[in-house]
PDB file of all heavy atoms in Angstrom:
ATOM      1  N   GLY A  32      -3.298  22.725  16.138  1.00 89.00           N
ATOM      2  CA  GLY A  32      -4.686  22.379  15.733  1.00 89.00           C
ATOM      3  C   GLY A  32      -5.560  21.784  16.891  1.00 89.00           C
ATOM      4  O   GLY A  32      -6.428  21.108  16.754  1.00 89.00           O
ATOM      5  N   GLU A  33      -5.370  22.355  18.155  1.00 90.00           N
ATOM      6  CA  GLU A  33      -6.104  22.006  19.164  1.00 90.00           C
ATOM      7  C   GLU A  33      -6.347  23.197  20.176  1.00 90.00           C
ATOM      8  O   GLU A  33      -5.475  24.114  20.173  1.00 90.00           O
ATOM      9  CB  GLU A  33      -5.655  20.668  19.996  1.00 90.00           C
ATOM     10  CG  GLU A  33      -4.258  20.886  20.622  1.00 90.00           C
ATOM     11  CD  GLU A  33      -3.814  19.766  21.579  1.00 90.00           C
ATOM     12  OE1 GLU A  33      -4.791  19.151  22.133  1.00 90.00           O
ATOM     13  OE2 GLU A  33      -2.634  19.429  21.651  1.00 90.00           O
ATOM     14  N   THR A  92     -13.230   6.434  18.919  1.00 98.00           N
ATOM     15  CA  THR A  92     -11.972   7.080  19.460  1.00 98.00           C
ATOM     16  C   THR A  92     -11.708   8.372  18.687  1.00 98.00           C
ATOM     17  O   THR A  92     -10.782   8.311  17.858  1.00 98.00           O
ATOM     18  CB  THR A  92     -10.837   5.913  19.499  1.00 98.00           C
ATOM     19  OG1 THR A  92     -11.343   4.803  20.008  1.00 98.00           O
ATOM     20  CG2 THR A  92      -9.720   6.473  20.199  1.00 98.00           C
ATOM     21  N   GLY A  93     -12.503   9.309  18.934  1.00 98.00           N
ATOM     22  CA  GLY A  93     -12.450  10.559  18.264  1.00 98.00           C
ATOM     23  C   GLY A  93     -12.971  10.490  16.893  1.00 98.00           C
ATOM     24  O   GLY A  93     -13.408   9.391  16.362  1.00 98.00           O
ATOM     25  N   VAL A  94     -13.267  11.526  16.140  1.00 98.00           N
ATOM     26  CA  VAL A  94     -13.633  11.630  14.749  1.00 98.00           C
ATOM     27  C   VAL A  94     -12.564  10.839  13.939  1.00 98.00           C
ATOM     28  O   VAL A  94     -12.849  10.155  12.955  1.00 98.00           O
ATOM     29  CB  VAL A  94     -13.779  13.041  14.242  1.00 98.00           C
ATOM     30  CG1 VAL A  94     -13.998  13.141  12.704  1.00 98.00           C
ATOM     31  CG2 VAL A  94     -15.068  13.603  14.977  1.00 98.00           C
ATOM     32  N   THR A  95     -11.294  10.988  14.328  1.00 97.00           N
ATOM     33  CA  THR A  95     -10.259  10.189  13.576  1.00 97.00           C
ATOM     34  C   THR A  95     -10.611   8.723  13.308  1.00 97.00           C
ATOM     35  O   THR A  95     -10.576   8.187  12.228  1.00 97.00           O
ATOM     36  CB  THR A  95      -8.919  10.386  14.389  1.00 97.00           C
ATOM     37  OG1 THR A  95      -8.722  11.703  14.579  1.00 97.00           O
ATOM     38  CG2 THR A  95      -7.830   9.759  13.583  1.00 97.00           C
ATOM     39  N   GLU A  96     -10.882   8.005  14.487  1.00 98.00           N
ATOM     40  CA  GLU A  96     -11.460   6.681  14.244  1.00 98.00           C
ATOM     41  C   GLU A  96     -12.672   6.631  13.585  1.00 98.00           C
ATOM     42  O   GLU A  96     -12.906   5.589  12.787  1.00 98.00           O
ATOM     43  CB  GLU A  96     -11.478   5.964  15.538  1.00 98.00           C
ATOM     44  CG  GLU A  96     -11.659   4.464  15.442  1.00 98.00           C
ATOM     45  CD  GLU A  96     -12.945   3.788  16.245  1.00 98.00           C
ATOM     46  OE1 GLU A  96     -13.078   4.054  17.318  1.00 98.00           O
ATOM     47  OE2 GLU A  96     -13.808   3.242  15.467  1.00 98.00           O
ATOM     48  N   VAL A  98     -13.906   8.387  11.163  1.00 98.00           N
ATOM     49  CA  VAL A  98     -13.701   8.424   9.617  1.00 98.00           C
ATOM     50  C   VAL A  98     -13.227   7.108   9.115  1.00 98.00           C
ATOM     51  O   VAL A  98     -13.643   6.479   8.178  1.00 98.00           O
ATOM     52  CB  VAL A  98     -12.771   9.609   9.295  1.00 98.00           C
ATOM     53  CG1 VAL A  98     -12.578   9.608   7.820  1.00 98.00           C
ATOM     54  CG2 VAL A  98     -13.492  10.912   9.756  1.00 98.00           C
ATOM     55  N   PHE A 119      -8.384  18.680   5.595  1.00 96.00           N
ATOM     56  CA  PHE A 119      -7.659  18.146   6.756  1.00 96.00           C
ATOM     57  C   PHE A 119      -7.028  16.832   6.234  1.00 96.00           C
ATOM     58  O   PHE A 119      -7.577  16.159   5.418  1.00 96.00           O
ATOM     59  CB  PHE A 119      -8.835  17.762   7.812  1.00 96.00           C
ATOM     60  CG  PHE A 119      -8.330  17.030   9.052  1.00 96.00           C
ATOM     61  CD1 PHE A 119      -7.195  17.570   9.735  1.00 96.00           C
ATOM     62  CD2 PHE A 119      -8.951  15.959   9.527  1.00 96.00           C
ATOM     63  CE1 PHE A 119      -6.678  17.019  10.893  1.00 96.00           C
ATOM     64  CE2 PHE A 119      -8.446  15.215  10.789  1.00 96.00           C
ATOM     65  CZ  PHE A 119      -7.296  15.803  11.355  1.00 96.00           C
ATOM     66  N   ILE A 121      -6.132  13.711   7.217  1.00 94.00           N
ATOM     67  CA  ILE A 121      -6.361  12.285   7.362  1.00 94.00           C
ATOM     68  C   ILE A 121      -7.223  11.625   6.066  1.00 94.00           C
ATOM     69  O   ILE A 121      -7.206  10.507   6.009  1.00 94.00           O
ATOM     70  CB  ILE A 121      -7.048  11.912   8.734  1.00 94.00           C
ATOM     71  CG1 ILE A 121      -8.565  12.417   8.841  1.00 94.00           C
ATOM     72  CG2 ILE A 121      -6.127  12.411   9.846  1.00 94.00           C
ATOM     73  CD1 ILE A 121      -9.222  11.787  10.062  1.00 94.00           C
ATOM     74  N   TYR A 122      -8.132  12.508   5.467  1.00 96.00           N
ATOM     75  CA  TYR A 122      -9.134  11.828   4.730  1.00 96.00           C
ATOM     76  C   TYR A 122      -8.546  11.137   3.434  1.00 96.00           C
ATOM     77  O   TYR A 122      -8.954  10.134   3.218  1.00 96.00           O
ATOM     78  CB  TYR A 122     -10.120  12.952   4.078  1.00 96.00           C
ATOM     79  CG  TYR A 122     -10.738  13.856   5.131  1.00 96.00           C
ATOM     80  CD1 TYR A 122     -10.812  15.295   4.933  1.00 96.00           C
ATOM     81  CD2 TYR A 122     -11.331  13.337   6.270  1.00 96.00           C
ATOM     82  CE1 TYR A 122     -11.329  16.087   5.729  1.00 96.00           C
ATOM     83  CE2 TYR A 122     -11.813  14.189   7.248  1.00 96.00           C
ATOM     84  CZ  TYR A 122     -11.831  15.548   6.937  1.00 96.00           C
ATOM     85  OH  TYR A 122     -12.363  16.447   7.871  1.00 96.00           O
ATOM     86  N   ASN A 166     -16.459  18.717   5.153  1.00 98.00           N
ATOM     87  CA  ASN A 166     -16.077  19.167   6.684  1.00 98.00           C
ATOM     88  C   ASN A 166     -16.279  20.680   6.727  1.00 98.00           C
ATOM     89  O   ASN A 166     -15.811  21.491   5.936  1.00 98.00           O
ATOM     90  CB  ASN A 166     -14.469  18.829   6.701  1.00 98.00           C
ATOM     91  CG  ASN A 166     -13.822  19.733   7.924  1.00 98.00           C
ATOM     92  OD1 ASN A 166     -12.773  20.337   7.620  1.00 98.00           O
ATOM     93  ND2 ASN A 166     -14.348  19.599   8.979  1.00 98.00           N
ATOM     94  N   PRO A 168     -17.429  23.688   9.935  1.00 98.00           N
ATOM     95  CA  PRO A 168     -16.482  24.660   9.528  1.00 98.00           C
ATOM     96  C   PRO A 168     -15.233  23.868   9.234  1.00 98.00           C
ATOM     97  O   PRO A 168     -14.969  22.960   9.809  1.00 98.00           O
ATOM     98  CB  PRO A 168     -16.255  25.660  10.770  1.00 98.00           C
ATOM     99  CG  PRO A 168     -17.553  25.563  11.507  1.00 98.00           C
ATOM    100  CD  PRO A 168     -18.044  24.209  11.320  1.00 98.00           C
ATOM    101  N   SER A 169     -14.382  24.478   8.296  1.00 98.00           N
ATOM    102  CA  SER A 169     -13.300  23.684   7.711  1.00 98.00           C
ATOM    103  C   SER A 169     -11.982  23.906   8.335  1.00 98.00           C
ATOM    104  O   SER A 169     -11.589  24.945   8.818  1.00 98.00           O
ATOM    105  CB  SER A 169     -13.224  24.082   6.212  1.00 98.00           C
ATOM    106  OG  SER A 169     -11.850  23.775   5.838  1.00 98.00           O
ATOM    107  N   ASN A 170     -11.289  22.791   8.602  1.00 98.00           N
ATOM    108  CA  ASN A 170      -9.869  22.843   8.737  1.00 98.00           C
ATOM    109  C   ASN A 170      -9.316  22.407   7.381  1.00 98.00           C
ATOM    110  O   ASN A 170      -9.545  21.410   7.001  1.00 98.00           O
ATOM    111  CB  ASN A 170      -9.560  21.799   9.920  1.00 98.00           C
ATOM    112  CG  ASN A 170      -8.014  21.681   9.988  1.00 98.00           C
ATOM    113  OD1 ASN A 170      -7.238  22.522   9.548  1.00 98.00           O
ATOM    114  ND2 ASN A 170      -7.444  20.681  10.687  1.00 98.00           N
ATOM    115  N   ASP A 198     -18.090  15.880   8.447  1.00 98.00           N
ATOM    116  CA  ASP A 198     -17.245  15.998   9.701  1.00 98.00           C
ATOM    117  C   ASP A 198     -17.494  17.494  10.239  1.00 98.00           C
ATOM    118  O   ASP A 198     -16.991  18.491   9.628  1.00 98.00           O
ATOM    119  CB  ASP A 198     -15.706  15.839   9.276  1.00 98.00           C
ATOM    120  CG  ASP A 198     -14.721  16.096  10.421  1.00 98.00           C
ATOM    121  OD1 ASP A 198     -15.190  16.579  11.443  1.00 98.00           O
ATOM    122  OD2 ASP A 198     -13.516  15.872  10.219  1.00 98.00           O
ATOM    123  N   ILE A 200     -16.891  18.443  13.428  1.00 98.00           N
ATOM    124  CA  ILE A 200     -16.151  18.597  14.738  1.00 98.00           C
ATOM    125  C   ILE A 200     -16.106  19.924  15.292  1.00 98.00           C
ATOM    126  O   ILE A 200     -16.019  20.272  16.410  1.00 98.00           O
ATOM    127  CB  ILE A 200     -14.817  17.855  14.648  1.00 98.00           C
ATOM    128  CG1 ILE A 200     -14.093  17.698  15.983  1.00 98.00           C
ATOM    129  CG2 ILE A 200     -13.795  18.563  13.613  1.00 98.00           C
ATOM    130  CD1 ILE A 200     -14.528  16.698  16.758  1.00 98.00           C
ATOM    131  N   TYR A 201     -16.167  20.955  14.366  1.00 98.00           N
ATOM    132  CA  TYR A 201     -15.998  22.411  14.718  1.00 98.00           C
ATOM    133  C   TYR A 201     -17.368  23.056  14.937  1.00 98.00           C
ATOM    134  O   TYR A 201     -17.522  24.357  14.832  1.00 98.00           O
ATOM    135  CB  TYR A 201     -15.148  23.218  13.878  1.00 98.00           C
ATOM    136  CG  TYR A 201     -13.699  22.786  13.836  1.00 98.00           C
ATOM    137  CD1 TYR A 201     -13.251  21.886  12.852  1.00 98.00           C
ATOM    138  CD2 TYR A 201     -12.784  23.213  14.901  1.00 98.00           C
ATOM    139  CE1 TYR A 201     -11.865  21.499  12.868  1.00 98.00           C
ATOM    140  CE2 TYR A 201     -11.564  22.754  14.962  1.00 98.00           C
ATOM    141  CZ  TYR A 201     -10.984  21.905  13.968  1.00 98.00           C
ATOM    142  OH  TYR A 201      -9.698  21.531  13.896  1.00 98.00           O
ATOM    143  N   ASN A 225     -18.957  14.016  14.845  1.00 98.00           N
ATOM    144  CA  ASN A 225     -18.853  14.936  15.766  1.00 98.00           C
ATOM    145  C   ASN A 225     -18.141  14.628  17.025  1.00 98.00           C
ATOM    146  O   ASN A 225     -17.684  13.412  17.096  1.00 98.00           O
ATOM    147  CB  ASN A 225     -20.187  15.779  16.189  1.00 98.00           C
ATOM    148  CG  ASN A 225     -19.901  17.213  16.275  1.00 98.00           C
ATOM    149  OD1 ASN A 225     -18.941  17.644  16.931  1.00 98.00           O
ATOM    150  ND2 ASN A 225     -20.951  18.049  15.975  1.00 98.00           N
ATOM    151  N   GLY A 226     -17.879  15.552  18.048  1.00 98.00           N
ATOM    152  CA  GLY A 226     -17.131  14.962  19.178  1.00 98.00           C
ATOM    153  C   GLY A 226     -16.937  16.162  20.140  1.00 98.00           C
ATOM    154  O   GLY A 226     -17.461  17.128  20.001  1.00 98.00           O
ATOM    155  N   LEU A 227     -15.955  15.823  21.008  1.00 98.00           N
ATOM    156  CA  LEU A 227     -15.761  16.771  22.108  1.00 98.00           C
ATOM    157  C   LEU A 227     -14.368  17.439  22.020  1.00 98.00           C
ATOM    158  O   LEU A 227     -14.042  18.339  22.897  1.00 98.00           O
ATOM    159  CB  LEU A 227     -15.916  16.133  23.488  1.00 98.00           C
ATOM    160  CG  LEU A 227     -17.285  15.666  23.673  1.00 98.00           C
ATOM    161  CD1 LEU A 227     -17.421  14.700  25.107  1.00 98.00           C
ATOM    162  CD2 LEU A 227     -18.272  16.681  24.012  1.00 98.00           C
ATOM    163  N   SER A 228     -13.520  17.010  21.174  1.00 98.00           N
ATOM    164  CA  SER A 228     -12.203  17.574  21.134  1.00 98.00           C
ATOM    165  C   SER A 228     -12.091  18.988  21.039  1.00 98.00           C
ATOM    166  O   SER A 228     -11.294  19.631  21.802  1.00 98.00           O
ATOM    167  CB  SER A 228     -11.362  16.976  19.815  1.00 98.00           C
ATOM    168  OG  SER A 228     -11.154  15.651  20.119  1.00 98.00           O
ATOM    169  N   LYS A 229     -12.950  19.628  20.244  1.00 97.00           N
ATOM    170  CA  LYS A 229     -12.727  21.099  20.030  1.00 97.00           C
ATOM    171  C   LYS A 229     -13.802  21.864  20.801  1.00 97.00           C
ATOM    172  O   LYS A 229     -13.443  22.802  21.432  1.00 97.00           O
ATOM    173  CB  LYS A 229     -13.012  21.412  18.500  1.00 97.00           C
ATOM    174  CG  LYS A 229     -12.249  20.527  17.516  1.00 97.00           C
ATOM    175  CD  LYS A 229     -10.856  20.449  17.494  1.00 97.00           C
ATOM    176  CE  LYS A 229     -10.280  19.412  16.532  1.00 97.00           C
ATOM    177  NZ  LYS A 229      -8.808  19.452  16.364  1.00 97.00           N
ATOM    178  N   MET A 233     -11.211  18.703  24.640  1.00 98.00           N
ATOM    179  CA  MET A 233     -10.917  17.366  25.104  1.00 98.00           C
ATOM    180  C   MET A 233     -10.276  16.358  24.130  1.00 98.00           C
ATOM    181  O   MET A 233     -10.544  15.272  24.029  1.00 98.00           O
ATOM    182  CB  MET A 233     -12.400  16.625  25.466  1.00 98.00           C
ATOM    183  CG  MET A 233     -13.006  17.281  26.752  1.00 98.00           C
ATOM    184  SD  MET A 233     -14.584  16.504  27.074  1.00 98.00           S
ATOM    185  CE  MET A 233     -14.203  14.881  27.670  1.00 98.00           C
ATOM    186  N   THR A 234      -9.293  16.921  23.491  1.00 98.00           N
ATOM    187  CA  THR A 234      -8.522  16.228  22.403  1.00 98.00           C
ATOM    188  C   THR A 234      -7.861  14.814  22.938  1.00 98.00           C
ATOM    189  O   THR A 234      -7.947  13.973  22.264  1.00 98.00           O
ATOM    190  CB  THR A 234      -7.432  17.186  21.822  1.00 98.00           C
ATOM    191  OG1 THR A 234      -6.654  17.650  22.859  1.00 98.00           O
ATOM    192  CG2 THR A 234      -7.963  18.089  20.985  1.00 98.00           C
ATOM    193  N   ARG A 237      -9.906  11.461  23.605  1.00 98.00           N
ATOM    194  CA  ARG A 237     -10.303  10.696  22.399  1.00 98.00           C
ATOM    195  C   ARG A 237     -11.740  10.230  22.464  1.00 98.00           C
ATOM    196  O   ARG A 237     -12.138   9.059  22.631  1.00 98.00           O
ATOM    197  CB  ARG A 237      -9.410   9.445  22.250  1.00 98.00           C
ATOM    198  CG  ARG A 237      -7.944   9.689  22.387  1.00 98.00           C
ATOM    199  CD  ARG A 237      -7.356  10.875  21.478  1.00 98.00           C
ATOM    200  NE  ARG A 237      -7.712  10.657  19.952  1.00 98.00           N
ATOM    201  CZ  ARG A 237      -8.384  11.536  19.237  1.00 98.00           C
ATOM    202  NH1 ARG A 237      -8.798  12.620  19.753  1.00 98.00           N
ATOM    203  NH2 ARG A 237      -8.526  11.200  17.926  1.00 98.00           N
ATOM    204  N   PHE A 238     -12.603  11.200  22.199  1.00 98.00           N
ATOM    205  CA  PHE A 238     -14.076  10.854  22.042  1.00 98.00           C
ATOM    206  C   PHE A 238     -14.695  11.513  20.871  1.00 98.00           C
ATOM    207  O   PHE A 238     -14.560  12.703  20.491  1.00 98.00           O
ATOM    208  CB  PHE A 238     -14.819  11.511  23.253  1.00 98.00           C
ATOM    209  CG  PHE A 238     -16.196  11.066  23.300  1.00 98.00           C
ATOM    210  CD1 PHE A 238     -16.694   9.833  23.789  1.00 98.00           C
ATOM    211  CD2 PHE A 238     -17.221  12.061  22.642  1.00 98.00           C
ATOM    212  CE1 PHE A 238     -17.964   9.575  23.782  1.00 98.00           C
ATOM    213  CE2 PHE A 238     -18.538  11.523  22.569  1.00 98.00           C
ATOM    214  CZ  PHE A 238     -18.903  10.485  23.228  1.00 98.00           C
ATOM    215  N   GLY A 239     -15.346  10.587  20.056  1.00 98.00           N
ATOM    216  CA  GLY A 239     -16.077  11.088  18.931  1.00 98.00           C
ATOM    217  C   GLY A 239     -17.453  10.354  18.774  1.00 98.00           C
ATOM    218  O   GLY A 239     -17.684   9.360  19.528  1.00 98.00           O
ATOM    219  N   TYR A 314      -9.133  28.667  12.513  1.00 98.00           N
ATOM    220  CA  TYR A 314      -8.069  28.769  11.412  1.00 98.00           C
ATOM    221  C   TYR A 314      -8.384  29.924  10.474  1.00 98.00           C
ATOM    222  O   TYR A 314      -9.557  30.213  10.246  1.00 98.00           O
ATOM    223  CB  TYR A 314      -8.024  27.446  10.595  1.00 98.00           C
ATOM    224  CG  TYR A 314      -7.873  26.267  11.411  1.00 98.00           C
ATOM    225  CD1 TYR A 314      -8.851  25.381  11.589  1.00 98.00           C
ATOM    226  CD2 TYR A 314      -6.740  26.069  12.147  1.00 98.00           C
ATOM    227  CE1 TYR A 314      -8.858  24.198  12.394  1.00 98.00           C
ATOM    228  CE2 TYR A 314      -6.561  24.863  12.841  1.00 98.00           C
ATOM    229  CZ  TYR A 314      -7.603  23.951  13.039  1.00 98.00           C
ATOM    230  OH  TYR A 314      -7.470  22.792  13.819  1.00 98.00           O
ATOM    231  N   ARG A 357      -1.544  28.734   6.554  1.00 98.00           N
ATOM    232  CA  ARG A 357      -2.654  28.450   7.512  1.00 98.00           C
ATOM    233  C   ARG A 357      -2.382  28.846   8.933  1.00 98.00           C
ATOM    234  O   ARG A 357      -1.315  28.367   9.527  1.00 98.00           O
ATOM    235  CB  ARG A 357      -3.059  26.940   7.541  1.00 98.00           C
ATOM    236  CG  ARG A 357      -4.394  26.839   8.371  1.00 98.00           C
ATOM    237  CD  ARG A 357      -4.496  25.494   8.936  1.00 98.00           C
ATOM    238  NE  ARG A 357      -3.619  25.284  10.080  1.00 98.00           N
ATOM    239  CZ  ARG A 357      -3.841  24.135  10.815  1.00 98.00           C
ATOM    240  NH1 ARG A 357      -4.820  23.205  10.713  1.00 98.00           N
ATOM    241  NH2 ARG A 357      -2.966  23.999  11.826  1.00 98.00           N
TER     242      ARG A 357
HETATM  243  N1  PLP B   1     -11.611  16.594  11.833  1.00 96.97           N
HETATM  244  C1  PLP B   1     -10.985  17.707  11.650  1.00 96.97           C
HETATM  245  C2  PLP B   1     -11.513  18.560  10.477  1.00 96.97           C
HETATM  246  C3  PLP B   1     -10.036  18.032  12.399  1.00 96.97           C
HETATM  247  O1  PLP B   1      -9.474  19.307  12.254  1.00 96.97           O
HETATM  248  C4  PLP B   1      -9.535  17.368  13.461  1.00 96.97           C
HETATM  249  C5  PLP B   1      -8.415  17.619  14.326  1.00 96.97           C
HETATM  250  O2  PLP B   1      -7.731  18.571  14.079  1.00 96.97           O
HETATM  251  C6  PLP B   1     -10.256  15.919  13.594  1.00 96.97           C
HETATM  252  C7  PLP B   1     -11.288  15.718  12.721  1.00 96.97           C
HETATM  253  C8  PLP B   1      -9.885  15.054  14.623  1.00 96.97           C
HETATM  254  O3  PLP B   1     -10.741  14.981  15.669  1.00 96.97           O
HETATM  255  P1  PLP B   1     -10.745  14.004  16.905  1.00 96.97           P
HETATM  256  O4  PLP B   1      -9.844  14.551  17.915  1.00 96.97           O
HETATM  257  O5  PLP B   1     -12.130  13.890  17.307  1.00 96.97           O
HETATM  258  O6  PLP B   1     -10.149  12.727  16.384  1.00 96.97           O
END
Side-chain angles (χ1 to χ4, degrees):
E33 64 172 324
T92 310
V94 166
T95 304
E96 187 238 302
V98 173
F119 179 46
I121 67 170
Y122 308 136
N166 163 227
S169 153
N170 175 11
D198 179 349
I200 188 79
Y201 294 100
N225 213 320
L227 296 170
S228 285
K229 317 293 173 169
M233 289 178 70
T234 48
R237 310 308 302 125
F238 183 86
Y314 307 109
R357 192 204 72 168

